[in-house]
């Protein structure tokens, strides 16, 4: 069920972004506010709609962070990534097939605003060439890395908030993606998501663009994956410092259950969170009751020892008299 949600959600997000970027930009001019709002709304709405299935990820980098942070089982994570890629490729194929083409309005003119690239593949290449400048590979990596750090950190924060509502989580992800689009669109076309970049790159290959999309695609995988690793390392380090350890166990019903091993109940309460990453409340309650019973038995033993000592002292007093 969750993998199906990832597939359909990825399809809807990618198709919405391809359509907004390609039809909106050439017809009405590049508007960064429109790009940021369209991106944020697409991710926010889809996250809200599909939140009944799980904490919607829609992004291989986010899924990797969830796996490294023990919020998603590795096998489920692999299925999610495959589903995300299939959804993005389906969106790219459908979008490419719907483009209105003519002798003067070629696919190259449309696709230039949907693909992700740097240098000659950047959406700003034409404007920068007149000034003798370009957005090279380093700046593309940096802006995609920074934007991905924001997105992955927002996801980890949202799934770590026990009291957080679904609406708040969806809004947070929408804001993160919107900000990421504003940072990266002028440089790289706002990939932010390896699946989104792959879905259109496959169908834009060989269309006469300034640079072949598949040749530059690796940048839009490396930067988000690196961001996921960095955020996960910080989260795991925080958990170690707090004195606890989080593990994900699989139950018979297929649900991921987060089990927290800590001597500090407050640390436990602060770490458990998530929709598809739940903790076994009954098990923890049983452990707590067991601890209380052990304390009660210890107290009874101390009282019995005191009574025995008092009785012994009284007997000694009688013998003395």
């Amino acid at each position: 069920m969750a993998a199906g949600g990832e597939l359909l959600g990825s399809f809807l997000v990618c198709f919405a972004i391809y359509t907004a970027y390609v039809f909106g930009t050439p017809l009405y001019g590049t508007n960064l506010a429109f790009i940021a709002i369209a991106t944020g709304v697409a991710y926010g709405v889809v996250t809200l709609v599909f939140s009944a299935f799980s904490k919607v990820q829609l992004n291989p980098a986010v899924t990797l962070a969830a796996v490294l942070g023990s919020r998603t089982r590795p096998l489920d994570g692999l299925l999610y990534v495959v589903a995300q890629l299939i959804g993005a490729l389906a969106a790219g194929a459908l979008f490419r097939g719907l483009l209105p083409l003519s002798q003067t309005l070629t696919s190259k003119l449309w696709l230039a605003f949907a693909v992700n690239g740097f240098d000659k593949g950047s959406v700003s290449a034409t404007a920068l060439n007149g000034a003798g400048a370009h957005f090279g590979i380093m700046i593309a990596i940096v802006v995609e890395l920074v934007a991905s750090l924001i997105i992955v950190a927002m996801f980890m924060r949202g799934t770590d908030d026990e009291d957080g509502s679904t609406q708040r989580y969806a809004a947070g992800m929408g804001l993160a993606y919107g900000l990421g689009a504003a940072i990266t669109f002028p440089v790289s076309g706002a990939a932010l998501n390896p699946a989104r970049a792959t879905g259109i790159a496959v169908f834009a290959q060989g269309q006469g663009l300034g640079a072949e999309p598949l040749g530059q695609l690796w940048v839009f995988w490396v930067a988000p994956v690196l961001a996921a690793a960095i955020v996960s390392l910080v989260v795991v380090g925080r958990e170690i410092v707090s004195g606890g350890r989080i593990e994900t166990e699989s139950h018979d019903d297929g649900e991921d259950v987060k089990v927290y091993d800590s001597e500090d109940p407050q640390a436990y309460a602060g770490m458990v969170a998530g929709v598809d990453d739940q903790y076994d409340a009954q098990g923890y309650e049983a452990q707590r009751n067991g601890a209380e019973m052990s304390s009660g038995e210890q107290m009874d033993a101390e009282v019995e020892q005191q009574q025995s000592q008092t009785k012994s002292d009284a007997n000694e007093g009688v013998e003395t008299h």
Side-chain angles (χ1 to χ4, degrees):
M1 183 68 73
E6 290 292 325
L7 190 154
L8 184 55
S10 179
F11 170 81
L12 293 175
V13 161
C14 292
F15 188 79
I17 289 175
Y18 301 154
T19 304
Y21 286 21
V22 171
F23 292 155
T25 302
L27 295 178
Y28 305 111
T30 302
N31 187 318
L32 195 56
F34 169 76
I35 293 295
I37 292 172
T39 304
V41 170
Y43 279 101
V45 169
V46 172
T47 298
L48 182 61
V49 170
F50 288 92
S51 59
F53 299 102
S54 66
K55 286 289 186 181
V56 189
Q57 297 172 4
L58 307 175
N59 184 333
V62 169
T63 299
L64 175 61
V67 171
L68 295 177
S70 297
R71 285 162 169 75
T72 299
R73 291 176 295 180
L75 180 58
D76 288 340
L78 179 60
L79 293 176
Y80 293 171
V81 170
V82 172
Q84 292 157 6
L85 288 172
I86 293 174
L89 289 169
L94 178 61
F95 175 74
R96 176 66 179 80
L98 293 176
L99 285 178
L101 304 176
S102 67
Q103 290 183 347
T104 57
L105 191 59
T106 63
S107 59
K108 172 184 175 180
L109 297 176
W110 292 117
L111 295 172
F113 296 95
V115 298
N116 303 112
F118 53 88
D119 200 0
K120 293 181 180 180
S122 172
V123 293
S124 303
T126 302
L128 290 177
N129 283 339
H134 65 278
F135 286 131
I137 185 173
M138 285 306 300
I139 189 172
I141 291 175
V142 169
V143 296
E144 287 286 341
L145 175 62
V146 170
S148 296
L149 285 171
I150 294 171
I151 292 166
V152 175
M154 178 60 76
F155 168 79
M156 297 297 274
R157 178 65 182 88
T159 55
D160 201 28
D161 187 359
E162 184 178 8
D163 299 323
S165 64
T166 300
Q167 292 82 0
R168 188 183 307 166
Y169 170 71
M173 293 305 295
L175 287 172
Y177 276 105
L179 177 59
I183 295 172
T184 59
F185 182 76
V187 177
S188 60
L192 308 175
N193 179 342
R196 171 260 189 269
T198 303
I200 196 66
V202 170
F203 299 98
Q205 186 74 6
Q207 298 300 311
L209 297 172
E212 291 295 355
L214 290 180
Q216 297 185 338
L217 182 61
W218 66 271
V219 170
F220 307 108
W221 277 87
V222 169
V225 166
L226 181 58
I230 292 172
V231 173
S232 300
L233 181 62
V234 172
V235 171
V236 171
R238 185 193 65 180
E239 293 167 358
I240 293 174
V241 171
S242 68
R245 175 172 53 87
I246 292 181
E247 294 180 353
T248 301
E249 293 184 356
S250 175
H251 280 199
D252 293 336
D253 58 4
E255 293 292 333
D256 289 346
V257 178
K258 183 180 293 185
V259 180
Y260 190 77
D261 181 13
S262 175
E263 297 178 356
D264 184 3
Q266 292 182 352
Y268 175 90
M271 294 305 301
V272 292
V275 174
D276 61 345
D277 301 313
Q278 303 172 4
Y279 66 93
D280 191 349
Q282 294 180 350
Y284 177 72
E285 185 68 19
Q287 292 180 5
R288 186 172 65 84
N289 291 338
E292 291 177 353
M293 291 175 60
S294 298
S295 299
E297 292 174 355
Q298 183 178 2
M299 185 176 295
D300 292 341
E302 292 177 353
V303 170
E304 183 177 352
Q305 184 177 2
Q306 291 177 357
Q307 291 176 348
S308 176
Q309 183 65 33
T310 302
K311 184 176 180 180
S312 176
D313 293 343
N315 292 335
E316 290 178 358
V318 172
E319 292 176 0
T320 301
H321 290 291

